[in-house]
Amino acid sequence: MLDIRLIRENPDRVVERLKTRGKGDEASVARILEVDGLRREVIVEVEKLKAERNAISKEIGGRKSRGEAADDLLAGMKEKSDRIAELDGKQAELDERQRDLLLQVPNLPHADCPLGLDAAANPVVKTFGEKAGFDFEPLDHVALVEKLGLVDFKAGATLSGSGFFVFRGAGARLERALLNFLLDLHTREHGYTEIFPPFLVRESCMVGTGQLPKFREDMYHLEGEDLFLAPTAEVPVTNLHREEILAREQLPIKYAAYTPCFRREAGSAGRDNRGMIRVHQFDKVELVKIVEPEKSYQELEILRSHAERVLELLGLHYRTIELCSGDMGFGAAKCYDIEVWAAGSKSYLEVSSCSNFEDFQARRMNLRYKTEDKKNVFCHTLNGSGTALPRLFVALVENGQQADGSIRLPAVLHSYFGAGEIR
RNA sequence: GGAGCGGUGGCUGAGUGGUCUAAAGCGACGGUUUGCUAAACCGUUGUAGGGUAAAACCUACCGGAGGUUCGAAUCCUCUCCGCUCCGCCA
C-alpha cells in the first residue's frame, strides 16, 4: 500500500511511476485524491463539533457535581450529537473507500528498475554454467518420471483433478531429500531461522502480503470459514510480525520455511498444463527477510545470492533476469527471477522470484520498528523462493538423464537421497 | 461442541456514568547531588489522525464492532482472542 501522504504531496511522481507498469493503475490517483479531500473536510468539521461537545459536557459535569442546574447547556446537545454521528458515518465511509482504492494500487517500481512492458524487456543479469550436452536426444520430464515411476499424473487427476500429481517411491524420496537439503542449506549456512507455519491463513494476512483484495480468484478459500490456503509461505511467515513494533536489534529477521503452495491458476488454463510445470499444489522453501529500510537493497542482493547458491550447489545451469517495470508483481519495487535450464523441455524454468517490497507490505500489515531516535517506522520486507520444488525436480531429472533412462543426481544430494542415481 | 473466567499504557495493576486530562508501582530516559557505582530527590515518558509556514492546538484510541446517554474504560448487544475444566479426537 502506498502512503497517502506521498500521493497527496507528490501526485505527479506517483502517476509517472505507476505509468511505467503499463497497466493503467495511475487512473486511481485522481480518485484517491478526491476522496482524500472530501475526507479531510469532514474530519475538520466533525472534530470541531466534538471539541465543542466535550467542553459543554465537562461544564455540565462540573455543575451537576455542585448541584447546580444545567438545563441551558443541555439544550441543543442532542442535535449536536446527532450531527456528529452523521459526520462520523460519512467519515467512516470515506475512510473505507480510500483504503479500498489504496489496496488496489500496486507498488511503485524502484528508480533502478528497467523500464518495459513485458518479459521481452527483462535483462539477463547473470548466467551460471552451461546447457548440459547430450549424445542422445534428451526426454522431457513427463516421459522420464513416468518411465521410472516417480510421478503419477493419472492418480493426481483421479484424486483431485487436473493440475495435481502424486509422487511415488524414489520420486517421493527425492522430493523429501530436496526439502531437507534446501532447509539445511539456508538454516545452517545462510543463517535463516526455520519456520513451519500453518498452511491456512486469515483474510487479513492475505491482505497484508498483497494477494488480496485484488487476486481473490487465484486463491483457494474454505467454504464456511474465513480461511485461505496459503499460495506461498510468504503469507504466513511475513505476517508473523504483523501489527508489531520491533526493536531495532531484532533486525534483520531472516526466516526460511517449507510449505506446500496452493494456487488456483485461474485464467492460465491451457498454459504449461503438461507435467509438473504449473500445478495447483507444489512444495517450496521460501526465504523471508524483515529489514531496516536503508539496507533493503543490499539485502535483496544477498537474498538473490542465497537462491542462486541452490542451483550452483546442484550444478544446474541458470540465468538470473531482472524484471522490468511492466513485468513485476503487484507488490514488488524490484524483482529478480532465477530460471533454471531444463534440457528435455529445452526451456528455462522460473524456480525463484526474489523481491524487495520496500514498505508496501509492512504498511498493509502495520509492521514497524523503533529507530535509534525512537521513531516508529515501517520495515522493509523481502522474499524469495529458495527454491520452488517441482521445477527444480524437473531440471534435475531432465539434466541428469542418461542414455539408459536412469538419472544421475548431483553429489550434494547423495546423502539426502541415499543413492547417487535413480534407475 | 459445552461451561466458566479474563482482555486497561513498555510491564504489573486500580478504576461500576460527569475535572479520567486513566491512580499507583515498576521500567526507561533526562537532570541535581556524587571520587566511581549505587541510593535519594526532581522532571519526562504511548499510538494514530487532523491542523499550522512552523508552532500552538484539536480529535480518536482502555481487544473489535454496534447501541443507550447531553456525556461511556464504566451500562447493553454482538463479535474476536486468551486461559481453565468437560466432551470428542490423531
Side-chain angles (χ1 to χ4, degrees):
Chain A
M1 189 161 69
L2 300 182
D3 185 354
I4 181 63
R5 267 171 294 198
L6 175 70
I7 298 175
R8 200 185 286 158
E9 286 159 24
N10 291 297
D12 297 343
R13 201 187 131 232
V14 172
V15 165
E16 176 252 317
R17 289 271 87 203
L18 285 175
K19 272 187 182 163
T20 67
R21 282 184 174 267
K23 306 279 195 308
D25 295 301
E26 63 277 7
S28 53
V29 169
R31 286 159 63 210
I32 290 167
L33 285 174
E34 191 193 333
V35 172
D36 186 50
L38 291 173
R39 199 182 131 260
R40 285 193 294 158
E41 279 175 31
V42 171
I43 288 171
V44 169
E45 188 181 349
V46 75
E47 289 192 350
K48 182 167 157 270
L49 288 172
K50 281 179 179 173
E52 288 169 18
R53 181 181 67 181
N54 288 349
I56 296 170
S57 285
K58 197 170 177 179
E59 176 63 20
I60 292 170
R63 285 207 206 165
K64 293 235 164 162
S65 65
R66 291 191 299 270
E68 299 167 13
D71 296 354
D72 56 323
L73 295 177
L74 286 171
M77 282 291 271
K78 177 72 179 157
E79 287 69 25
K80 206 183 274 289
S81 280
D82 288 348
R83 176 69 179 149
I84 287 170
E86 186 188 326
L87 290 171
D88 271 345
K90 203 163 155 188
Q91 191 201 330
E93 189 190 307
L94 289 165
D95 283 348
E96 197 187 334
R97 209 192 312 169
Q98 183 178 78
R99 184 172 168 81
D100 286 349
L101 286 168
L102 284 171
L103 287 175
Q104 300 275 351
V105 178
N107 203 359
L108 303 182
H110 187 261
D112 284 355
C113 181
L115 298 181
L117 290 183
D118 55 41
N122 297 338
V124 174
V125 295
K126 177 177 180 180
T127 59
F128 171 86
E130 287 175 10
K131 294 176 187 173
F134 293 86
D135 49 15
F136 58 94
E137 185 56 32
L139 299 174
D140 86 345
H141 71 280
V142 178
L144 285 164
V145 299
E146 287 189 331
K147 234 162 80 175
L148 289 165
L150 306 181
V151 176
D152 189 337
F153 293 104
K154 194 155 174 284
T158 302
L159 295 173
S160 310
S162 80
F164 292 89
F165 61 85
V166 176
F167 283 117
R168 316 181 58 104
R173 184 149 51 99
L174 178 57
E175 183 78 355
R176 182 159 56 85
L178 283 167
L179 290 173
N180 284 330
F181 161 67
L182 294 171
L183 285 168
D184 283 349
L185 172 67
H186 296 307
T187 57
R188 291 181 187 166
E189 295 190 33
H190 298 154
Y192 291 77
T193 300
E194 187 166 345
I195 300 289
F196 199 105
F199 306 154
L200 297 176
V201 293
R202 296 175 188 279
E203 175 161 3
S204 56
C205 292
M206 297 283 277
V207 171
T209 33
Q211 284 75 20
L212 293 181
K214 203 161 178 184
F215 307 103
R216 187 172 292 267
E217 64 285 357
D218 290 323
M219 307 301 154
Y220 285 106
H221 181 241
L222 262 59
E223 191 179 336
E225 297 231 29
D226 211 4
L227 290 171
F228 291 80
L229 274 73
T232 158
E234 163 194 354
V235 180
V237 174
T238 314
N239 278 285
L240 275 174
H241 295 287
R242 60 178 295 114
E243 306 287 345
E244 282 187 24
I245 300 173
L246 300 166
R248 200 170 61 102
E249 299 72 46
Q250 290 176 266
L251 303 178
I253 288 173
K254 299 167 66 182
Y255 289 138
Y258 155 70
T259 69
C261 301
F262 301 95
R263 302 186 178 179
R264 291 189 60 218
E265 299 292 347
S268 56
R271 259 173 65 204
D272 305 323
N273 59 357
R274 186 175 145 78
M276 330 160 48
I277 303 300
R278 184 180 297 275
V279 286
H280 293 308
Q281 176 187 327
F282 62 93
D283 295 316
K284 178 159 64 66
V285 169
E286 185 77 0
L287 305 174
V288 170
K289 287 190 187 185
I290 301 172
V291 307
E292 293 175 73
E294 309 75 53
K295 299 185 180 153
S296 66
Y297 280 93
Q298 139 195 3
E299 292 283 1
L300 176 63
E301 298 304 315
I302 298 169
L303 177 67
R304 180 190 127 189
S305 75
H306 290 156
E308 289 172 340
R309 181 114 190 282
V310 168
L311 302 176
E312 289 166 19
L313 287 172
L314 294 171
L316 296 170
H317 165 54
Y318 70 82
R319 66 181 187 193
T320 301
I321 61 180
E322 188 175 346
L323 296 194
C324 72
S325 52
D327 202 30
M328 264 195 316
F330 180 71
K334 187 177 171 87
C335 180
Y336 295 106
D337 276 2
I338 302 169
E339 300 180 332
V340 69
W341 175 251
S345 308
K346 295 186 175 54
S347 60
Y348 286 97
L349 304 176
E350 180 190 331
V351 287
S352 179
S353 193
C354 299
S355 308
N356 184 358
F357 298 88
E358 298 189 355
D359 64 7
F360 187 83
Q361 295 180 325
R363 182 170 282 110
R364 286 170 165 252
M365 65 177 76
N366 201 23
L367 164 58
R368 295 170 294 173
Y369 81 106
K370 210 169 265 297
T371 62
E372 208 160 4
D373 51 347
K374 304 275 164 57
K375 294 267 180 281
N376 296 334
V377 169
F378 290 112
C379 304
H380 279 194
T381 60
L382 304 93
N383 66 58
S385 341
T387 63
L389 277 205
R391 293 177 186 174
L392 186 64
F393 190 107
V394 167
L396 285 167
V397 166
E398 291 192 2
N399 295 332
Q401 63 183 297
Q402 303 176 101
D404 65 355
S406 66
I407 291 157
R408 185 175 35 82
L409 293 174
V412 289
L413 289 180
H414 292 183
S415 61
Y416 285 102
F417 181 70
E421 54 179 28
I422 304 172
R423 51 173 67 247

